[in-house]
Amino acid sequence: MTIALVEKKSLLLQKIDEARNAQGVEQALLQAIQPLGLISIFGGLVPRHSVSPTEVTQRILLRKSPEGWRERYIERSYIIKDPIIERLEWDRRSFTWTESASTCRDHSKIDLVGNEAASFGLHDGFVVPITLPDRIAALETEQGEIR
């Protein structure tokens, strides 16, 4: 790891630590990912079972995404159809959306969620699973077109 990369990570962690609220954390993460061509972030607690739209909303921790995408994702219960959520059931390593699609058992889910996301400008992304002490997995995904 280069010194420049270590310094960038250190600066990002400092900005997150100094953030006063979730919006400050979102802003620090967006500043870090935008040079990579990523346009939004979404993070939350990953359910272990089907959940209501209200519970989905309560599980969202970070939510900077294109106008209307979060609402559509919740209203259409994409959380139970999302290949990313399916992969998180068994994989705790970082992966791309494309990688989650390649391991999805139901290809209709790939087209459904993927095409909907693409209509909002979200073509690919990177998922970072985080396991919490109480064993509830948290998800921080950086969505957007990877250049």
Side-chain angles (χ1 to χ4, degrees):
M1 188 175 311
T2 67
I3 291 175
L5 184 56
V6 171
E7 289 174 354
K8 284 182 182 180
K9 285 183 176 181
S10 177
L11 182 60
L12 173 60
L13 292 174
Q14 179 182 345
K15 286 181 180 181
I16 290 171
D17 188 48
E18 292 171 354
R20 296 184 184 270
N21 52 34
Q23 291 79 19
V25 172
E26 290 171 359
Q27 191 59 38
L29 290 169
L30 281 170
Q31 288 174 351
I33 66 172
Q34 285 175 335
L36 302 173
L38 298 162
I39 60 173
S40 67
I41 57 174
F42 181 88
L45 301 176
V46 179
R48 295 177 187 231
H49 52 80
S50 184
V51 295
S52 70
T54 301
E55 191 173 343
V56 171
T57 302
Q58 293 168 348
R59 291 172 166 269
I60 296 171
L61 305 174
L62 302 171
R63 60 191 177 282
K64 185 67 175 169
S65 57
E67 184 73 32
W69 171 242
R70 180 176 63 112
E71 293 79 10
R72 181 174 296 182
Y73 189 90
I74 293 168
E75 288 168 5
R76 297 188 180 180
S77 299
Y78 285 158
I79 197 160
I80 61 173
K81 303 167 188 164
D82 195 331
I84 292 168
I85 301 301
E86 179 180 305
R87 183 158 178 152
L88 285 167
E89 292 173 4
W90 58 270
D91 193 358
R92 294 294 183 260
R93 297 171 293 154
S94 300
F95 56 89
T96 65
W97 288 9
T98 303
E99 290 168 333
S100 70
S102 71
T103 59
C104 184
R105 294 180 292 260
D106 182 350
H107 288 278
S108 66
K109 291 179 179 181
I110 299 166
D111 294 337
L112 176 67
V113 179
N115 290 343
E116 288 284 328
S119 72
F120 285 86
L122 304 171
H123 301 284
D124 206 345
F126 194 70
V127 180
V128 180
I130 305 165
T131 303
L132 301 174
D134 59 0
R135 300 201 174 261
I136 296 174
L139 163 69
E140 190 270 340
T141 180
E142 301 156 333
Q143 307 166 334
E145 183 174 0
I146 297 177
R147 296 181 188 158

